[in-house]
Amino acid sequence: MSRQHVVIVGGGVIGLLTAFNLASKVQSVVLLDRSGVGQESSWAGGGIVSPLYPWRYSPAVTALAHWSQDFYPQLAERLLEVTGIDPEVHKTGLYWLDLDDEKEALEWAQRLNRPLSSVDISQVHDAVPVMGGGYSRAVYMPDIANVRNPRLVKSLKAALLAMPNVTIHEQSEVSDFVRDGDRIIGVSTAAGDVLGDSVVLAAGAWSGDLLGKLGLELPVEPVKGQMILFKCASDFLPSMILAKGRYAIPRRDGHILIGSTLEYEGYDKTPTDTALESLKASAVELIPALADAEVVGHWAGLRPGSPEGIPYIGPVPNHDGLWLNCGHFRNGLVLAPASCQLLTDLLVGDAPIIDPVPYGPEGRIQS
């Protein structure tokens, strides 16, 4: 076992799962979060275990997504076993309606041997009776799941709290890095410095600001997304559906999530009436019966926006001891299992699960 002490900055799903993976490989892990763990993008997202339009992404994102999709069921089983909290990986399939690039989507699926196929719209209405009319075409992927992200966060936190070599500090904002020459040996907080052999920056939308303390320019910025939540019968919506960039996600207990907006508003997380009305209109277009349902939740979160949605995973050049696992944009929950396993492999010197080159910070961040 490596005798390392690792400090992780950021307690979203990426930071939590990185800690979970590293705990069995290193001597100790300290995780710091500026608020409560998992309360930002990880809590606010929808939890579809797929990029919204997977064929529109680069092979780098696809490689992480496919590994993670295959791994999620066993991760959920393991977490349920050790914590008693079920992250609810719920395999419902996903229908895309009236795609502009349906041909490209089907060609992508054939090329990568993914089970995406076109289906007659009448079949969709048979499978999802509550779906609205007015749609003429559909493609379907049967094996896509959604994960109940707040429960995933709770389960990961509980698993970490039970590990004797893991410490979690909430309400512990990192203000700077501690340096010894060119080496990063820890981070500064209001309660004092926290030192380690390695520091992993997994601070989501705040990662770019923190790396700026070192004079490095990481193109990760906050991108606001708003969601609304309805409560219906548990069998009301049997599958996820997506049209015009908006989606409906069923949870096992009948909660229906509708999302999401894409807003470049800095760090403002205020839910707005404009977004509420827009999301309600999308909800009713997708599922007319929701016109009579009560909105039981409306919130906003900040995604870590990055160019092409390709995360930064690996060591920071010329700053020994500093590692990145951030910049997942809209796909943090989708890509988390693969991203965190890859970071763990690289940090402890194991053979990486996939080619790490596309995610390396080298050449992708400016000094």
Side-chain angles (χ1 to χ4, degrees), residues 59 64 114 149 220 229 237 259 267 271 310 315 329 357:
L64 291 172
R114 304 305 283 182
N149 33 312
V220 172
L229 184 71
L237 182 64
Y267 287 98
I310 300 173
F329 204 174
V357 171

Side-chain angles (χ1 to χ4, degrees), residues 32-354:
L32 307 163
D33 194 87
R34 59 190 294 279
S35 55
V37 299
Q39 296 304 298
E40 296 292 348
S41 185
S42 299
W43 182 87
I48 301 175
V49 185
S50 169
L52 286 188
Y53 300 97
W55 54 89
R56 297 178 188 173
Y57 281 92
S58 71
V61 173
T62 300
L64 291 172
H66 288 178
W67 196 94
S68 295
Q69 285 166 328
D70 292 341
F71 188 75
Y72 249 116
Q74 67 195 78
L75 173 64
E77 279 175 29
R78 187 174 165 203
L79 288 171
L80 175 58
E81 188 182 325
V82 298
T83 68
I85 301 167
D86 187 358
E88 291 190 17
V89 174
H90 183 29
K91 196 174 282 191
T92 64
L94 172 57
Y95 290 96
W96 286 265
L97 308 173
D98 289 358
L99 279 174
D100 291 334
D101 56 352
E102 182 175 322
K103 181 170 173 284
E104 289 81 357
L106 293 169
E107 286 171 352
W108 170 87
Q110 190 170 18
R111 198 165 60 246
L112 274 71
N113 197 27
R114 304 305 283 182
L116 178 76
S117 57
S118 56
V119 290
D120 190 270
I121 201 70
S122 64
Q123 284 180 256
V124 188
H125 282 290
D126 289 344
V128 189
V130 294
M131 190 183 82
Y135 300 106
S136 58
R137 290 173 293 110
V139 297
Y140 179 56
M141 195 180 280
D143 60 351
I144 293 184
N146 65 77
V147 61
R148 195 151 183 175
N149 33 312
R151 297 199 179 176
L152 175 63
V153 165
K154 259 188 209 168
S155 187
L156 281 167
K157 182 181 178 181
L160 293 175
L161 289 173
M163 292 175 171
N165 65 331
V166 176
T167 308
I168 296 175
H169 293 296
E170 297 181 291
Q171 316 302 325
S172 185
E173 186 166 4
V174 168
S175 57
D176 207 343
F177 296 94
V178 181
R179 295 163 241 198
D180 179 10
D182 289 338
R183 183 168 182 81
I184 303 302
I185 60 166
V187 295
S188 300
T189 74
D193 292 346
V194 181
L195 303 182
D197 301 306
S198 298
V199 174
V200 179
L201 181 57
W206 288 265
S207 299
D209 285 358
L210 277 170
L211 211 58
K213 306 281 186 184
L214 298 173
L216 298 174
E217 195 178 313
L218 177 73
V220 172
E221 61 177 329
V223 183
K224 181 174 169 180
Q226 299 189 51
M227 312 270 295
I228 58 174
L229 184 71
F230 295 92
K231 180 71 169 76
C232 303
S234 59
D235 58 353
F236 174 76
L237 182 64
S239 178
M240 294 180 282
I241 52 176
L242 191 159
K244 300 178 185 173
R246 295 278 169 89
Y247 49 79
I249 305 171
R251 301 301 197 209
R252 283 186 183 147
D253 63 2
H255 279 101
I256 309 290
L257 279 167
I258 304 289
S260 159
T261 65
L262 202 60
E263 306 165 60
Y264 290 80
E265 303 280 349
Y267 287 98
D268 175 23
K269 281 199 308 180
T270 314
T272 63
D273 289 342
T274 307
L276 176 62
E277 293 312 312
S278 173
L279 289 165
K280 274 185 183 173
S282 293
V284 172
E285 191 174 345
L286 282 167
I287 304 166
L290 291 179
D292 302 319
E294 180 192 355
V295 175
V296 294
H298 172 211
W299 62 86
L302 299 174
R303 310 178 187 91
S306 59
E308 297 182 70
I310 300 173
Y312 298 84
I313 306 169
V316 178
N318 307 315
H319 293 77
D320 283 355
L322 182 59
W323 299 74
L324 301 184
N325 193 3
C326 56
H328 294 75
F329 204 174
R330 305 187 78 171
N331 295 311
L333 284 153
V334 186
L335 307 181
S339 298
C340 299
Q341 187 59 55
L342 178 60
L343 185 282
T344 299
D345 292 343
L346 295 171
L347 195 148
V348 303
D350 287 349
I353 50 161
I354 56 173

